[in-house]
């Protein structure tokens, strides 16, 4: 299971992913993000429990980001590990996503 | 024998007339060669001479326990009827090996009435004589109801004697016919074996004295269970194989022919001996009768460099003889082909450096002199003695030494030798890149798995451990595993189009300054012109992986493979601190005078 938990906090949906996200389960992540976005709320993706992510996983996040932007919602990443950040840097997406240290900080941040 | 004689003999009713008849009957029987015709003719003559209404002739079957009716004359046909020895009148005659006379059938408790009830025939009297050739009983002749209505003469009577004489004459004729049949069958088998032997010989490669490889095959019977083959690939590499099929005879010969043909076909496109054996193994497991297997060595030899890569499926270890050194052998690490369907074989790579590589069947090392076997030591000694001359001359001299020295061959003898010394002198370097790994690459491990994304997480820890073993720093290890994962995912998505059944292999080699990965798939060739990373401002999935690979790896290249053989991707990453020798990394104080830290 790559999606550990979905809950709502302060009107935003927090999706916690976990484990290794590669081609095997990236599809599941994508589906979860797109489903959640149907609620037309902002999304926070908690990556603290993700031990590995590659281009397939990143691609799912990117697709979520694109759909979110189209419907004027936000999608930000939370608790991105050094490894995951490296992958985002390689993809030059580290400046594209809003990245916060933890959920609290993300919720406090201004839109 | 004319009818006239027959009638005169019969009419005269004298014994001499009957004996003349019998003698001429015996002559004509001796000349006949067809068992069935002989049997029918014999019975007809007997019935006619003895003037009976009916009769039958029984022969013992192969088990000797049943009598089968091979001919019958009269109102009732009982051809094919079986009677156990000892039962009925005919069974008794054979079991007790004597003439049986039953003068009143219905009063004999042994008489089988049911047949009469079914057919309407009324048996009055029966006379039955066993048929004997020498001391061997082969059956019995039975006659029923003299036409005259009289009962048969008793045991020592005229009828009895005549029947016995005729029965024995018939036995002789039948025996001759059977022998003739057997001879024909043996001739046929012999001709078949000769043909099989010819076919096998035609499967052996043509000897070319310009090639640094030579093979010899000496079957001990017409058909051999051993084979060898070799041929040159377009870039000058020589593919070779030697195999030994279990068992003897036609079955072994057919399996040998199949294996040899499959090797020749697969060897033209598959550059990995371990993989070739794996495919061959699966094929043999699926289509060969149980219990048959093939031991085999298959390999690739590059005359231009002396590199040789081979895999061994349960065969005697090849002899590797370096100049001025003792010989080496490497024990096989996999069972023969045909035993386990999903078997992973291992490649061994060596550089012959002017030496000799000899593969042989146990027919060679089991050459016997009295109690002593030649063994590998003996072979090595012989190779030392016969040091000079052409490769073929050398091998032939080895065999000549054995033959002339009084050594006995015990089995099919097959051997295949590669002489790198000769190649070193004779061959020009060809242009094609060697598909054998460079000599300084140290093969760490290989993985083979289906193109199923669920396998990625199984591959990652192994590769991570390998990268650590190659002294990469932690962040480099993560990058390497990421790049490899991306490359594999690309294969799954693009080469196999999402089909999870395809096979992917990953070979990991340690380099002095880093690591080399070789990824193989077996899908139709990918047009490398189409693989370009997407520009990053197009934020879209796909293409991103390729970008990762090129950003992380130092070299990433497709090595073109012959059609139908899939794709090979070679990825190389060098350590950031590659100036240090392995073992010194991360230990700056211990570095030697040439070590550098950082690039």
């Amino acid at each position: 299971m790559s999606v550990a938990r979905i809950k709502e906090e302060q009107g935003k949906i927090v999706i916690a992913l976990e484990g290794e996200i590669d081609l095997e389960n990236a599809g599941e992540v994508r589906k979860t993000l797109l489903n959640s976005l149907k609620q037309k709320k902002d999304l926070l993706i908690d990556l603290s429990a993700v031990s590995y992510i590659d281009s397939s996983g990143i691609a799912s996040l990117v697709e979520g980001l694109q759909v979110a932007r189209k419907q004027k919602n936000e999608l930000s990443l939370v608790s991105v590990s050094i490894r995951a950040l490296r992958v985002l840097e390689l993809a030059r997406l580290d400046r594209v996503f809003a990245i916060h240290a933890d959920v609290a900080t993300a919720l406090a941040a201004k839109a | 024998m004319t009818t006239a004689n027959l009638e005169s003999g019969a009419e005269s009713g004298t014994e001499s007339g009957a004996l003349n008849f019998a003698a001429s009957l015996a002559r004509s029987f001796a000349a006949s060669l067809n068992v069935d015709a002989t049997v029918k003719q014999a019975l007809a003559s007997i019935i006619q001479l003895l003037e009976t209404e009916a009769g039958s002739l029984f022969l013992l079957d192969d088990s000797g326990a049943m009598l089968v009716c091979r001919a019958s004359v009269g109102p009732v046909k009982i051809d094919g009827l079986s009677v156990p020895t000892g039962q009925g009148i005919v069974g008794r005659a054979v079991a007790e090996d004597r003439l049986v006379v039953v003068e009143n059938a219905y009063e004999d408790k042994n008489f089988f009435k049911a047949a009469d009830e079914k057919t309407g025939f009324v048996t009055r009297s029966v006379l039955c004589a066993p048929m004997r050739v020498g001391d061997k009983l082969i059956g019995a002749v039975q006659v029923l109801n003299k036409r005259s209505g009289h009962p048969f003469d008793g045991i020592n009577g005229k009828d009895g004697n005549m029947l016995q004489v005729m029965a024995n004459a018939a036995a002789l004729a039948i025996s001759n016919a059977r022998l003739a049949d057997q001879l024909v069958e043996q001739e046929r088998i012999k001709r078949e074996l000769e043909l099989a032997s010819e076919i096998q010989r035609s499967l052996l490669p043509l000897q070319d004295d310009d090639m640094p490889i030579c093979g010899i095959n000496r079957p001990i019977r017409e058909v051999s269970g051993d084979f060898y083959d070799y041929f040159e690939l377009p870039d000058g590499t020589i593919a070779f194989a030697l195999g030994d099929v279990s068992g003897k005879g036609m079955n072994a010969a057919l399996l040998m022919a199949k294996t040899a043909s499959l090797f020749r076909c697969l060897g033209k496109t598959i550059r990995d001996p371990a993989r070739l054996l794996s495919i061959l193994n699966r094929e043999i497991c699926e289509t060969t009768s149980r219990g048959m297997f093939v031991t085999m060595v298959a390999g690739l030899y590059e005359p231009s460099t002396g590199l040789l890569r081979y895999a061994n499926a349960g065969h005697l270890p090849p002899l590797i003889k370096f100049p001025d050194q003792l010989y080496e052998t490497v024990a096989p690490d996999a069972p023969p082909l045909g035993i386990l369907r999903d078997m992973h074989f291992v490649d061994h790579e060596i550089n012959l450096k002017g030496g000799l590589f000899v593969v042989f069947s146990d027919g060679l090392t089991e050459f016997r002199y009295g109690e002593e076997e030649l063994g590998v030591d003996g072979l090595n000694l012989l190779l030392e003695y016969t040091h000079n001359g052409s490769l073929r001359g050398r091998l032939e001299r080895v065999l000549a030494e054995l033959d002339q020295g009084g050594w006995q061959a015990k089995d099919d003898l097959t051997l295949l030798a590669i002489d790198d010394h000769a190649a070193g002198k004779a061959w020009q370097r060809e242009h094609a890149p060697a598909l054998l790994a460079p000599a300084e690459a140290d093969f760490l491990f290989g993985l083979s798995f289906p193109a199923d994304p669920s396998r990625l997480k199984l591959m990652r820890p192994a590769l991570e451990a390998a990268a650590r073993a190659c002294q990469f720093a932690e962040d480099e290890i993560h990058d390497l595993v990421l790049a490899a994962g991306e490359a594999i995912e690309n294969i799954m998505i693009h080469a196999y189009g999402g089909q999870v059944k395809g096979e992917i292999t990953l070979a990991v080699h340690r380099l002095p300054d880093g690591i080399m990965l070789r990824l193989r798939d077996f899908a139709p060739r990918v047009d490398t012109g189409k693989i370009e990373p997407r520009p990053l401002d197009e934020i879209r999935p796909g293409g991103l992986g390729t970008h990762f690979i090129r950003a992380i790896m130092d070299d990433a290249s497709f090595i073109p493979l012959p059609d139908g053989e899939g794709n090979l991707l070679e990825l190389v990453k060098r350590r950031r601190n590659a100036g240090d020798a392995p073992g010194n990394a991360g230990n700056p104080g211990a570095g030697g005078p040439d070590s550098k830290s950082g690039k």
Side-chain angles (χ1 to χ4, degrees):
Chain A
M1 275 293 120
S2 49
V3 180
R5 191 178 62 251
I6 307 179
K7 60 180 187 190
E8 205 170 307
E9 279 190 50
Q10 298 181 27
K12 300 186 203 273
I13 301 177
V14 181
I15 300 177
L17 301 178
E18 69 172 4
E20 301 173 38
I21 317 259
D22 62 17
L23 186 60
E24 181 183 13
N25 46 21
E28 188 199 333
V29 170
R30 177 184 169 274
K31 242 191 264 179
T32 304
L33 294 186
L34 296 182
N35 268 343
S36 300
L37 283 167
K38 287 185 188 148
Q39 296 179 48
K40 306 282 194 227
K41 296 189 170 127
D42 292 343
L43 241 52
L44 294 180
I45 317 291
D46 183 348
L47 298 177
S48 54
V50 170
S51 53
Y52 177 87
I53 186 165
D54 66 8
S55 71
S56 320
I58 300 294
S60 305
L61 298 179
V62 167
E63 200 174 336
L65 180 68
Q66 289 172 325
V67 170
R69 283 196 176 157
K70 221 186 265 180
Q71 58 186 47
K72 307 268 194 280
N73 281 122
E74 276 185 17
L75 187 150
S76 1
L77 306 179
V78 169
S79 295
V80 178
S81 67
I82 295 177
R83 297 270 173 268
L85 192 58
R86 165 68 174 156
V87 182
L88 287 170
E89 281 169 359
L90 272 172
R92 294 205 228 129
L93 291 172
D94 50 317
R95 300 300 160 97
V96 172
F97 283 96
I99 300 179
H100 302 281
D102 51 41
V103 177
T105 318
L107 292 171
K110 272 218 279 276
Chain B
M1 179 173 72
T2 64
T3 324
N5 284 346
L6 189 64
E7 284 170 6
S8 64
E11 281 169 13
S12 73
T14 62
E15 282 200 9
S16 62
L19 285 172
N20 281 340
F21 173 83
S24 55
L25 194 63
R27 271 200 303 280
S28 72
F29 285 170
S32 68
L33 287 178
N34 179 312
V35 177
D36 278 337
T38 306
V39 160
K40 287 180 167 53
Q41 191 189 356
L43 185 62
S45 306
I46 289 171
I47 284 171
Q48 193 170 11
L49 188 67
L50 286 172
E51 298 177 307
T52 65
E53 286 177 21
S56 51
L57 192 152
F58 286 74
L59 289 179
L60 277 172
D61 72 357
D62 292 333
S63 71
M66 294 292 281
L67 285 158
V68 180
C69 178
R70 298 292 291 267
S72 65
V73 173
V76 178
K77 291 278 174 217
I78 52 169
D79 293 56
L81 178 71
S82 294
V83 175
T85 313
Q87 279 190 33
I89 294 168
V90 70
R92 229 167 59 208
V94 171
E96 296 170 24
D97 191 12
R98 62 180 180 85
L99 197 67
V100 174
V101 181
V102 176
E103 285 170 25
N104 197 327
Y106 284 87
E107 284 174 16
D108 186 311
K109 61 179 183 301
N110 282 320
F111 178 66
F112 187 58
K113 292 190 190 64
D116 274 12
E117 282 160 15
K118 210 150 115 182
T119 61
F121 181 79
V122 177
T123 307
R124 294 189 304 277
S125 53
V126 182
L127 182 64
C128 183
M131 291 163 63
R132 200 191 300 117
V133 181
D135 55 1
K136 189 165 157 230
L137 280 170
I138 68 167
V141 185
Q142 179 171 276
V143 290
L144 304 157
N145 298 358
K146 262 183 100 84
R147 281 192 195 281
S148 60
H150 295 141
F152 289 109
D153 287 345
I155 300 283
N156 290 315
K158 187 168 72 168
D159 291 329
N161 286 340
M162 276 190 0
L163 181 61
Q164 189 62 74
V165 165
M166 300 201 68
N168 288 340
L172 186 61
I174 290 166
S175 175
N176 280 350
R178 278 175 167 168
L179 277 174
D181 275 351
Q182 271 173 26
L183 275 173
V184 166
E185 179 66 12
Q186 275 171 11
E187 252 319 296
R188 193 186 61 78
I189 290 177
K190 184 152 163 271
R191 264 184 281 122
E192 269 189 12
L193 285 178
E194 275 166 9
L195 182 61
S197 169
E198 220 178 277
I199 292 174
Q200 278 197 323
R201 263 177 281 123
S202 75
L203 288 173
L204 293 175
L206 290 172
Q207 177 61 33
D208 179 354
D209 284 337
D210 284 336
M211 291 177 84
I213 185 169
C214 175
I216 294 184
N217 173 243
R218 275 193 354 190
I220 197 159
R221 277 162 288 271
E222 288 94 355
V223 288
S224 169
D226 287 357
F227 70 93
Y228 70 87
D229 196 6
Y230 55 82
F231 48 89
E232 198 182 329
L233 295 166
D235 67 353
T237 307
I238 296 174
F240 63 89
L242 184 146
D244 186 350
V245 176
S246 67
K248 301 269 167 262
M250 283 306 282
N251 268 348
L254 288 172
L255 179 55
M256 167 254 160
K258 171 155 90 167
T259 309
S261 309
L262 275 171
F263 165 74
R264 187 159 264 265
C265 173
L266 293 170
K268 294 209 161 107
T269 56
I270 296 185
R271 293 292 197 138
D272 182 347
R275 174 167 170 74
L276 188 150
L277 286 184
S278 175
I279 295 176
L280 212 50
N281 175 56
R282 229 175 293 171
E283 186 60 35
I284 291 172
C285 283
E286 282 174 11
T287 60
T288 302
S289 49
R290 293 200 168 272
M292 299 209 71
F293 59 86
V294 186
T295 65
M296 183 163 165
V297 171
L300 282 171
Y301 164 63
E302 212 174 68
S304 52
T305 59
L307 289 172
L308 190 149
R309 176 194 281 174
Y310 71 97
N312 185 346
H315 194 79
L316 287 175
L319 176 71
I320 305 165
K321 198 163 163 47
F322 296 107
D324 305 323
Q325 284 180 34
L326 295 175
Y327 69 86
E328 279 178 28
T329 66
V330 176
D333 37 31
L337 309 176
I339 298 188
L340 286 174
R341 193 186 170 275
D342 293 305
M343 200 48 226
H344 190 82
F345 297 88
V346 174
D347 283 332
H348 299 277
E349 285 188 23
I350 52 175
N351 190 327
L352 283 181
K353 295 185 232 176
L356 203 60
F357 181 86
V358 186
V359 198
F360 46 89
S361 67
D362 54 15
L364 181 60
T365 43
E366 283 174 13
F367 250 93
R368 222 171 260 272
Y369 188 82
E371 287 298 312
E372 201 187 319
E373 268 188 13
L374 182 67
V376 183
D377 283 329
L379 174 61
N380 178 56
L381 274 175
L382 281 170
L383 288 170
E384 299 234 332
Y385 289 156
T386 56
H387 200 67
N388 300 315
S390 72
L391 182 58
R392 178 145 70 109
R394 227 174 138 177
L395 296 181
E396 285 175 353
R397 263 207 306 287
V398 166
L399 290 181
E401 284 286 334
L402 290 168
D403 289 336
Q404 286 159 20
W407 291 74
Q408 296 279 340
K410 287 289 163 217
D411 201 348
D412 298 339
L413 186 158
T414 309
L415 71 95
L416 182 62
I418 294 173
D419 184 356
D420 191 49
H421 181 66
K425 295 201 293 200
W427 285 78
Q428 298 291 327
R429 210 161 284 259
E430 287 295 324
H431 66 280
L435 282 193
L436 303 177
E440 52 293 354
D442 182 14
F443 176 68
L444 292 179
F445 66 85
L447 293 178
S448 156
F449 47 91
D452 185 332
S454 66
R455 308 302 200 259
L456 291 161
K457 58 184 183 283
L458 308 180
M459 172 278 303
R460 284 194 289 266
L463 185 55
E464 189 181 329
R468 199 159 284 126
C470 291
Q471 310 287 333
F472 281 97
E474 284 305 308
D475 62 315
E476 292 176 305
I477 293 173
H478 168 260
D479 280 358
L480 179 71
V481 171
L482 179 67
E486 298 294 349
I488 294 171
E489 289 183 356
N490 277 350
I491 294 174
M492 291 175 178
I493 297 169
H494 300 298
Y496 282 121
Q499 296 285 328
V500 299
K501 282 210 173 16
E503 188 184 338
I504 299 176
T505 66
L506 166 66
V508 181
H509 302 258
R510 177 188 0 230
L511 298 175
D513 57 355
I515 198 169
M516 175 176 71
L517 310 179
R518 279 205 174 141
L519 269 170
R520 277 292 292 284
D521 66 73
F522 304 91
R525 190 106 68 95
V526 176
D527 183 352
T528 56
K530 293 201 186 110
I531 307 174
E532 283 306 321
R534 302 241 176 99
L536 276 179
D537 48 11
E538 281 181 35
I539 304 174
R540 247 190 289 152
L544 195 57
T546 306
H547 170 73
F548 283 5
I549 296 167
R550 289 195 198 277
I552 290 170
M553 306 303 292
D554 291 306
D555 290 321
S557 46
F558 265 96
I559 295 179
L561 293 179
D563 268 327
E565 236 328 85
N567 306 289
L568 174 61
L569 174 65
E570 190 172 275
L571 302 172
V572 174
K573 187 168 177 65
R574 295 182 193 96
R575 284 194 301 277
R576 186 182 301 124
N577 54 359
D580 295 346
N584 288 338
N587 204 354
D594 290 331
S595 78
K596 295 179 178 58
S597 44
K599 273 205 189 134

